[in-house]
Amino acid sequence: MVLIAGPYRSGTGDDPALIARNERAMHEVALEVFRRGHLAVTGEALALPLIRLEDPEATPGTPRFDEIFHPLARRLVARCDAVLRIGGPSAGADEMVALARDHGAAVLTGLDELPEVRG
């Protein structure tokens, strides 16, 4: 299982269109990781539906959002075999990299570092 870690809010000024662009970039990489035979995950794909269920009005930085968003990712990274770090500056993504190292998981910085898996 490979966690895709990249900027979500960083550099967006909380502009929803820019946040959506960052989220899409992570999902595009996740699709490529999947095509290489791995189970690809993003914390956003798991956290955002829970946040919306808890509070449809929650936005990044609000208590309900913060209660779920990074805590879920921290739990998730502990169960991953690797973290693939993409994109630009992001404190959250950098935290996932550090946690991955703490758990002994591989840290990758490009798709070329990820072997293809068959079966």
Side-chain angles (χ1 to χ4, degrees):
M1 186 160 54
V2 180
L3 175 69
I4 313 308
Y8 178 72
R9 289 177 66 192
S10 297
T12 68
D14 287 337
D15 179 326
L18 296 177
I19 290 172
R21 181 196 66 196
N22 285 345
E23 185 179 358
R24 181 176 176 90
M26 284 184 276
H27 290 154
E28 287 172 349
V29 171
L31 180 57
E32 289 304 313
V33 168
F34 172 78
R35 288 183 173 145
R36 289 175 182 248
H38 302 271
L39 177 59
V41 295
T42 67
E44 290 76 10
L46 299 175
L48 292 173
L50 299 179
I51 293 166
R52 289 182 189 119
L53 181 64
E54 176 69 15
D55 182 354
E57 304 301 316
T59 58
T62 61
R64 291 286 193 195
F65 188 96
D66 292 344
E67 172 188 10
I68 295 172
F69 192 73
H70 280 120
L72 186 143
R74 290 180 191 112
R75 293 180 194 178
L76 180 61
V77 74
R79 291 165 174 78
C80 289
D81 303 298
V83 169
L84 176 55
R85 175 65 165 92
I86 67 163
S90 168
D94 291 343
E95 179 185 0
M96 297 309 112
V97 165
L99 288 171
R101 287 190 174 119
D102 289 347
H103 292 290
V107 174
L108 313 171
T109 57
L111 281 169
D112 58 323
E113 298 175 48
L114 191 65
E116 286 200 35
V117 177
R118 298 285 178 218

